[in-house]
Amino acid sequence: MTPNSVWPSPLVFSLVGPGKVGSSLAHWAISKGGSLKQVAARRTRSANALTSALGGRPTNVNELSTHGEDLLLIAVSDSAIQPVSETLANRRQARVVLHTSGRIDASALSALREQGSKVGTLHPLMAFPKVSSAVTDAKSVIFGIDGDAEAMILARRIAEGLEGSAVEVSPESRPLYHLGATLAAGGVVTLIASACELASRLGLDPKISRGYLRLAEGAIKQAAASQTIPEAITGPVARGETEEYLSQLRQLRSIDSELADLVENLARRTRHLLNRTGS
């Protein structure tokens, strides 16, 4: 089945929370022929901006009613999901309601389930430093889903229609699944930023920082091309150059003990991963 035949067209939907994630998903849905009806937000300006670009009308959560629509997408902070759903449950809402959190499962929408909507989650496993308006950015993205059967069917069709794929993540797994996502995105950037800060403290040319970034990009491409990710690990610890590593660690500890602790823990984790693979 081709992506175009998978996509639930026409998809009539509304959005609560036109932030980076919600706005990106709205752009992608419109690119596939979806119809945006309403956008609710705490800040009127953000709702106005999105509806000006994609259509629909701005409103507020206290007035939003999406009865008769295919989908209500809730893209708000984790702490706001349940209160927002309870407010929305005072009126009839869309056939399916999905929220975009990776950490929180579909039970946060139980108030909407009780009033008749099928509820679930649709978490795009990618970083959103800014709004992504190009639907091609969704290609190959993994979407974590859970919830009612009908909600997961729609979530899966949306993911596959965007040329991504949907993977069910159980409620009990979601907190650590989300932590893994944080390590894979924010953790990686923190490591690169730490390397760049070290170069700056050493008084090296700023081009070194760009070089570190290119180095990281190459390492990630190598990991993507490997049969298993650990086999792409490189560096003195992976090569067994223990004395060289310990000498570097001693020098680092003399100027930044906190970063040295991080490097030492990473080395232990490297050894652990390589031992598990028999390297």
Side-chain angles (χ1 to χ4, degrees):
M1 186 176 287
T2 66
N4 286 338
S5 63
V6 171
W7 181 261
S9 183
L11 180 71
V12 178
F13 72 103
S14 289
L15 170 68
V16 178
K20 296 171 185 176
V21 176
S23 294
S24 298
L25 287 167
H27 275 279
W28 298 346
I30 295 296
S31 296
K32 288 292 184 177
S35 176
L36 178 61
K37 293 299 183 183
Q38 301 171 83
V39 177
R42 286 184 301 175
R43 297 189 181 114
T44 306
R45 185 175 5 177
S46 58
N48 288 340
L50 190 62
T51 53
S52 294
L54 299 181
R57 66 179 181 86
T59 185
N60 63 67
V61 174
N62 293 320
E63 297 176 355
L64 181 65
S65 176
T66 59
H67 179 56
E69 297 179 18
D70 302 309
L71 171 67
L72 173 58
L73 191 64
I74 299 178
V76 299
S77 64
D78 288 0
S79 61
I81 292 172
Q82 186 169 333
V84 164
S85 71
E86 290 171 353
T87 298
L88 291 168
N90 292 325
R91 294 163 303 286
R92 297 284 300 278
Q93 300 298 343
R95 178 174 58 87
V96 170
V97 181
L98 300 174
H99 75 65
T100 61
S101 170
R103 185 176 66 88
I104 306 296
D105 65 81
S107 66
L109 303 176
S110 58
L112 288 163
R113 177 187 283 139
E114 291 171 5
Q115 62 90 331
S117 296
K118 304 300 181 183
V119 302
T121 62
L122 180 71
H123 174 243
L125 197 53
M126 66 175 282
F128 290 90
K130 60 181 181 179
V131 174
S132 168
S133 58
V135 70
T136 51
D137 290 345
K139 189 173 183 178
S140 301
V141 169
I142 304 297
F143 291 80
I145 66 171
D146 84 310
D148 300 332
E150 186 176 344
M152 285 203 295
I153 288 172
L154 180 58
R156 193 176 297 278
R157 290 184 66 191
I158 290 171
E160 293 176 358
L162 293 170
E163 299 187 58
S165 57
V167 177
E168 184 174 355
V169 180
S170 65
E172 60 271 17
S173 298
R174 292 187 81 88
L176 292 184
Y177 151 79
H178 186 258
L179 178 60
T182 302
L183 287 173
V188 167
V189 175
T190 297
L191 285 176
I192 296 169
S194 296
C196 295
E197 183 184 71
L198 180 59
S200 177
R201 290 181 65 174
L202 294 173
L204 300 178
D205 190 300
K207 290 180 181 177
I208 294 294
S209 292
R210 304 308 300 177
Y212 284 159
L213 185 58
R214 291 292 298 276
L215 185 65
E217 290 173 346
I220 289 172
K221 286 180 180 177
Q222 185 64 39
S226 301
Q227 269 195 321
T228 63
I229 291 175
E231 69 185 64
I233 296 173
T234 186
V237 174
R239 293 190 295 266
E241 299 169 356
T242 306
E243 288 304 319
E244 291 86 341
Y245 157 72
L246 290 175
S247 174
Q248 292 170 339
L249 186 63
R250 283 192 293 270
Q251 290 183 56
L252 177 59
R253 196 170 293 284
S254 70
I255 63 172
D256 192 330
S257 60
E258 184 177 293
L259 182 56
D261 288 341
L262 173 60
V263 170
E264 190 169 8
N265 284 326
L266 283 172
R268 289 196 183 99
R269 191 63 187 174
T270 295
R271 290 284 296 271
H272 170 76
L273 290 169
L274 293 177
N275 285 339
R276 285 183 58 186
T277 61
S279 302

